[in-house]
Amino acid sequence: MNQNFQINSKQIDKIQKITEEEKNFRIKNLEIFKEEGFPSKKLEDWKFSDFKRIVDNNFDELDTKTVVSHFDKVDLLKDFEHNYIFLVNGNLHSSNFDFEDKNKIKINSYDKSINYEINKNPLVCLNQAFAENGYSLEIDKNYKFNKVLVIYNIFTNDIKNKILNNKNKIRVNENSELHTIEYTINESKFKFINNVLENIILEKNSKLKNLNIQRKKNEGIFHKYLKNNLSLNSNYTNLIFSSGTKFNKLDIECNLIDQNINCNILSALFLGNNEHNEIKTCINHLAPNCKSYQQVKNVLNSNGKGIFQGKIYVKDLAQKTDAYQLGKALLLDDNAEFNSKPELEIYADDVKCSHGSSSGSIDEDSIYYMMSRGLSREQSKKLLIKGFLSDIVEHIKSPSIKKFVENKLEEQISEN
Amino acid sequence: MLEIKDLKASINKKAILKGLNLTIKPGELHAIMGPNGSGKSTLANILSGKEGYEISGELNFNGESIKEISVEKRAQKGIFLAFQYPLEIPGVNTNNFLKTSLNSVRKARGEKELDTLSFLKLIKKTSYELGIDEGILSRQLNVGFSGGEKKKNEILQMKILNPKLSILDETDSGLDIDAIKIVAKGVNTLRNDKKSFLIITHYQRLLDYIKPDFVHVLSHGKIVKTGCSELAQELEKTGYKKIN
């Protein structure tokens, strides 16, 4: 444990209006965290992302006290019409659903309901001990959003040496559809850690498409544990374009609890100097006839480090599962690193499961071919990189959102 | 247009071209034939500027030495190579690629870059002229193209870029007769008294449609015989053995 990390159990006492049961649950989680400390590479799940080292190298002191921040409004995206919510340092600040029937949407600053389940991830325990902010969004039955919902995830300039623990929840009820874009804007000049626990519940026949992207490069250190419970005929897609942070680990657990569920995790990242990005998944096929599709593509420059640990679990009764997983990297520098660890655990006998992983450098013959048509080496390289990531971007159906993502990727590629 | 003097080239210390001389004047079309491994593709690669060869001798294009000039600069100066094996570039749209390519060449020539609309007009017209299915233009560059489609795409690119010197490296290999006619049409419609061609082929067949001014036989890294179009017909009958 970092000596200068101040954990104060009394902080739990200050959390208002909680039951004895919740308090005990928080204390229990805190005790686990105290015993484990920040996860280091000794833990299998953290073997490519030594979080303890990240903490030791970046912080002389750290605390979990919540802050009340000053926040100047940020400019809304002009690329497409959208609903929005503002999160400031993880806390719900305001929301706007002018394009929607507001009666169908419930938005709150925090979801009080708790699943008293202990997670073995120490950062989740830390979150369970202290989190008292975040947002909770619920969409009524039979409602399809007209416009995308942008979640502006803003970090202000006055957070220094903080661990912000936030807890979010999205519930999409029967026959409803929601499309979200989580847009991170980090204005902090100081280093901080954002540790999020997010719970997504998709009810029967519902659909959620989420897209993650950053406004620009930043020094933030992010960890998110995403727990998704997916019901009959539901459709979940997570598109991850979160390049440009110092450290980012996304740990996704998907529970496919009923039949005919479609679950897609897709990522296109361009990681530059000293950027570290891990996507860890665990797709639990718990019922028959479900489909899961995971594809992670990383372009890695200088010291960029990309990790994809993908697990597919197929329960004995989950027959006719169709699960696919692919990790692919394009390495632009000898010091760049891509680690891929596919894991399949299958107990059913009539399933289709496949996985693959590959990494390689830029193909010089392709560069030569393009240059022989008058393109410069840089132009050719850029086209190859964009081409490599393009099949993920192709999953975005809206032309204006697609253009927006393409521009962001272009910025990433040009900056490096 | 092109002047090659005593060109020697080796790759990984293995000598491939061993003192090649060739002069191509504006308006001339030269065919190069020769057995496998004689250095035909190496010559094409070196002319286009491919790296990795050790080279000596002279290589002049329009009176200027191009030995130290990069691949893209040569393309911008008007040298075009139709590849023997065009590469598949995943995720890159053929139309966009062609537009980027044309505009970098036009920019280098001091011409105005084409906007999307004028470009699409040009490409539509050119593919129609050549009898090439426009469908390939909206696909990823050469990805999943048949052998014939790839070669047709090379000819389309040649037409669009309108080079001074076009080098065709076995473009006719593996093509059916209709596709060969498209290749020939591409060459013949570009041909005028200012443009030059260097056509590398194994077969007399292509030369039935494109009449060369000169035919050279390349063997063991040197031009061992030069003649007019009858030489190609002779080779078709006798093979290369007699010439060596």
Side-chain angles (χ1 to χ4, degrees):
Chain A
M1 172 74 65
N2 188 311
Q3 290 171 346
N4 297 318
F5 176 42
Q6 300 161 7
I7 294 190
N8 193 346
S9 319
K10 283 185 188 150
Q11 206 180 315
I12 294 176
D13 296 334
K14 284 183 195 157
I15 299 174
Q16 287 170 359
K17 291 182 197 161
I18 58 172
T19 60
E20 201 60 25
E21 189 187 16
E22 182 181 338
K23 191 174 173 182
N24 289 336
F25 178 67
R26 285 178 182 268
I27 290 169
K28 197 171 164 195
N29 272 290
L30 183 59
E31 275 162 5
I32 296 172
F33 178 76
K34 275 180 168 170
E35 206 178 304
E36 297 267 342
F38 287 109
S40 75
K41 63 181 176 193
K42 286 181 198 149
L43 293 176
E44 182 65 23
D45 286 351
W46 292 85
K47 83 177 189 189
F48 302 110
S49 301
D50 193 333
F51 199 79
K52 186 178 180 302
R53 241 187 84 201
I54 299 278
V55 172
D56 290 345
N57 289 346
N58 288 285
F59 298 97
D60 292 328
E61 51 181 303
L62 260 177
D63 72 73
T64 57
K65 276 179 224 137
T66 44
V67 279
V68 181
S69 293
H70 174 72
F71 157 66
D72 292 318
K73 263 219 150 88
V74 294
D75 291 333
L76 295 178
L77 292 172
K78 293 192 177 66
D79 308 66
F80 41 85
E81 291 183 317
H82 59 276
N83 305 287
Y84 59 86
I85 62 178
F86 279 141
L87 304 179
V88 178
N89 300 332
N91 308 335
L92 181 68
H93 175 276
S94 52
S95 64
N96 182 305
F97 290 98
D98 282 353
F99 293 102
E100 311 300 331
D101 177 351
K102 287 168 191 139
N103 297 323
K104 303 284 182 187
I105 301 157
K106 283 189 204 83
I107 175 104
N108 283 304
S109 62
Y110 181 64
D111 177 53
K112 290 248 186 294
S113 66
I114 291 183
N115 176 7
Y116 292 100
E117 199 179 78
I118 299 281
N119 191 296
K120 64 175 181 173
N121 180 335
L123 288 179
V124 175
C125 296
L126 181 68
N127 184 294
Q128 297 274 38
F130 291 127
E132 49 177 324
N133 279 306
Y135 71 91
S136 159
L137 174 69
E138 182 167 351
I139 315 303
D140 263 10
K141 273 198 245 184
N142 307 319
Y143 186 73
K144 291 185 171 66
F145 263 58
N146 298 311
K147 301 279 178 199
V148 61
L149 167 65
V150 176
I151 300 163
Y152 289 90
N153 197 9
I154 302 152
F155 296 93
T156 56
N157 200 10
D158 54 357
I159 37 172
K160 190 178 181 183
N161 300 335
K162 292 277 175 208
I163 304 185
L164 308 168
N165 293 296
N166 305 115
K167 227 161 134 180
N168 307 329
K169 185 172 184 176
I170 297 178
R171 179 191 286 273
V172 184
N173 283 310
E174 272 180 53
N175 304 317
S176 291
E177 274 183 39
L178 173 66
H179 182 0
T180 55
I181 295 179
E182 193 181 327
Y183 186 53
T184 301
I185 301 172
N186 181 6
E187 299 195 319
S188 175
K189 289 195 194 85
F190 307 106
K191 287 175 182 162
F192 65 92
I193 297 171
N194 184 218
N195 181 29
V196 178
L197 178 60
E198 193 164 298
N199 198 354
I200 289 175
I201 299 146
L202 296 193
E203 295 295 357
K204 252 182 6 190
N205 303 318
S206 67
K207 201 170 169 182
L208 173 69
K209 193 169 189 176
N210 175 52
L211 192 153
N212 291 287
I213 199 156
Q214 323 268 353
R215 184 168 73 179
K216 57 182 186 209
K217 276 180 160 315
N218 65 78
E219 291 278 289
I221 295 170
F222 296 90
H223 168 261
K224 185 192 259 190
Y225 192 92
L226 188 54
K227 183 174 174 163
N228 303 327
N229 283 346
L230 313 177
S231 312
L232 186 75
N233 296 326
S234 61
N235 198 315
Y236 172 76
T237 300
N238 197 348
L239 284 152
I240 304 153
F241 300 101
S242 53
S243 317
T245 48
K246 192 175 183 67
F247 179 94
N248 193 356
K249 177 162 173 163
L250 193 54
D251 198 335
I252 307 172
E253 171 191 334
C254 288
N255 298 310
L256 284 58
I257 54 180
D258 210 331
Q259 300 205 46
N260 300 320
I261 294 163
N262 211 322
C263 172
N264 304 293
I265 291 166
L266 303 153
S267 175
L269 302 175
F270 185 96
L271 304 176
N273 201 14
N274 288 321
E275 289 175 28
H276 183 121
N277 196 305
E278 170 166 348
I279 294 173
K280 181 179 169 291
T281 65
C282 182
I283 311 295
N284 295 315
H285 281 266
L286 307 172
N289 298 314
C290 292
K291 239 178 146 170
S292 69
Y293 183 91
Q294 304 177 65
Q295 195 178 2
V296 170
K297 283 191 148 184
N298 285 3
V299 178
L300 299 145
N301 203 4
S302 13
N303 289 317
K305 188 171 172 183
I307 298 126
F308 177 39
Q309 296 200 71
K311 182 173 175 179
I312 299 169
Y313 170 86
V314 183
K315 199 178 171 182
D316 52 4
L317 55 83
Q319 301 292 3
K320 306 277 179 201
T321 288
D322 184 353
Y324 177 83
Q325 186 196 98
L326 180 69
K328 256 182 136 174
L330 182 61
L331 301 148
L332 306 181
D333 192 288
D334 289 345
N335 294 319
E337 194 181 316
F338 181 63
N339 296 289
S340 172
K341 196 186 95 179
E343 231 182 305
L344 303 177
E345 201 177 322
I346 303 167
Y347 297 100
D349 49 19
D350 184 13
V351 298
K352 203 167 108 189
C353 284
S354 53
H355 68 89
S357 176
S358 70
S359 56
S361 49
I362 286 267
D363 178 38
E364 279 302 319
D365 285 336
S366 300
I367 295 270
Y368 164 52
Y369 181 67
M370 296 168 102
M371 285 176 77
S372 81
R373 302 298 185 250
L375 276 69
S376 70
R377 170 170 283 274
E378 275 312 301
Q379 267 178 315
S380 311
K381 208 169 132 183
K382 253 194 199 176
L383 275 182
L384 282 181
I385 292 170
K386 282 202 285 188
F388 177 79
L389 298 175
S390 70
D391 50 351
I392 303 291
V393 182
E394 285 305 314
H395 286 273
I396 305 171
K397 294 287 170 285
S398 150
S400 53
I401 296 176
K402 191 162 143 186
K403 189 84 207 136
F404 166 72
V405 170
E406 279 172 345
N407 289 343
K408 284 280 160 217
L409 279 173
E410 178 102 35
E411 272 173 34
Q412 287 279 343
I413 296 166
S414 303
E415 273 175 25
N416 273 276
Chain B
M1 171 84 63
L2 178 72
E3 201 180 13
I4 306 172
K5 277 189 198 158
D6 195 26
L7 177 66
K8 288 178 184 152
S10 58
I11 189 161
N12 300 329
K13 304 240 158 81
K14 188 174 180 281
I16 298 171
L17 298 180
K18 301 163 183 169
L20 186 138
N21 293 291
L22 178 68
T23 301
I24 301 179
K25 292 191 178 126
E28 287 180 357
L29 190 145
H30 291 235
I32 290 198
M33 304 181 83
N36 295 325
S38 56
K40 299 187 300 294
S41 288
T42 300
L43 175 63
N45 289 343
I46 286 172
L47 289 176
S48 76
K50 189 177 184 183
E51 288 170 14
Y53 298 96
E54 275 188 48
I55 299 172
S56 71
E58 276 182 46
L59 210 59
N60 298 323
F61 182 66
N62 285 333
E64 175 194 12
S65 172
I66 52 168
K67 251 165 79 177
E68 304 297 327
I69 289 179
S70 68
V71 183
E72 92 261 28
K73 289 274 172 338
R74 291 191 204 194
Q76 290 164 2
K77 282 179 187 295
I79 296 177
F80 179 88
L81 169 63
F83 276 50
Q84 186 178 359
Y85 304 111
L87 281 108
E88 298 191 5
I89 316 284
V92 176
N93 175 275
T94 304
N95 249 331
N96 288 348
F97 174 73
L98 272 176
K99 184 169 165 252
T100 315
S101 163
L102 176 62
N103 279 336
S104 26
V105 170
R106 286 181 70 99
K107 207 170 148 190
R109 283 190 207 141
E111 292 168 8
K112 213 179 132 226
E113 292 185 34
L114 287 190
D115 57 34
T116 307
L117 208 67
S118 337
F119 171 77
L120 287 177
K121 252 187 190 166
L122 171 73
I123 196 120
K124 212 175 163 114
K125 183 172 153 261
T126 315
S127 45
Y128 179 75
E129 268 173 25
L130 291 174
I132 292 173
D133 177 16
E134 263 183 77
I136 63 168
L137 298 167
S138 53
R139 287 159 60 188
Q140 298 177 32
L141 186 56
N142 291 329
V143 177
F145 283 27
S146 70
E149 283 173 328
K150 281 182 186 167
K151 298 294 181 77
K152 285 183 210 167
N153 191 16
E154 294 290 285
I155 294 304
L156 179 67
Q157 292 179 46
M158 178 181 85
K159 273 286 273 187
I160 295 278
L161 294 179
N162 194 19
K164 291 183 181 124
L165 170 69
S166 305
I167 305 158
L168 278 69
D169 187 5
E170 291 195 29
T171 302
D172 55 331
S173 290
L175 291 191
D176 63 36
I177 198 74
D178 294 332
I180 284 186
K181 283 181 182 165
I182 288 180
V183 173
K185 201 169 181 182
V187 171
N188 290 330
T189 51
L190 260 188
R191 216 170 159 181
N192 64 30
D193 59 357
K194 291 193 186 72
K195 296 199 184 297
S196 309
F197 294 86
L198 180 64
I199 294 184
I200 296 169
T201 180
H202 273 299
Y203 311 102
Q204 143 72 21
R205 202 172 51 164
L206 177 65
L207 305 178
D208 287 341
Y209 301 98
I210 302 171
K211 199 169 155 33
D213 299 303
F214 298 95
V215 174
H216 310 278
V217 178
L218 185 65
S219 179
H220 298 293
K222 276 184 179 175
I223 288 178
V224 291
K225 191 162 184 171
T226 295
C228 50
S229 59
E230 285 75 27
L231 177 59
Q233 287 157 19
E234 191 188 319
L235 287 168
E236 183 90 357
K237 285 186 205 132
T238 60
Y240 295 111
K241 272 186 188 155
K242 278 199 174 169
I243 290 181
N244 293 341

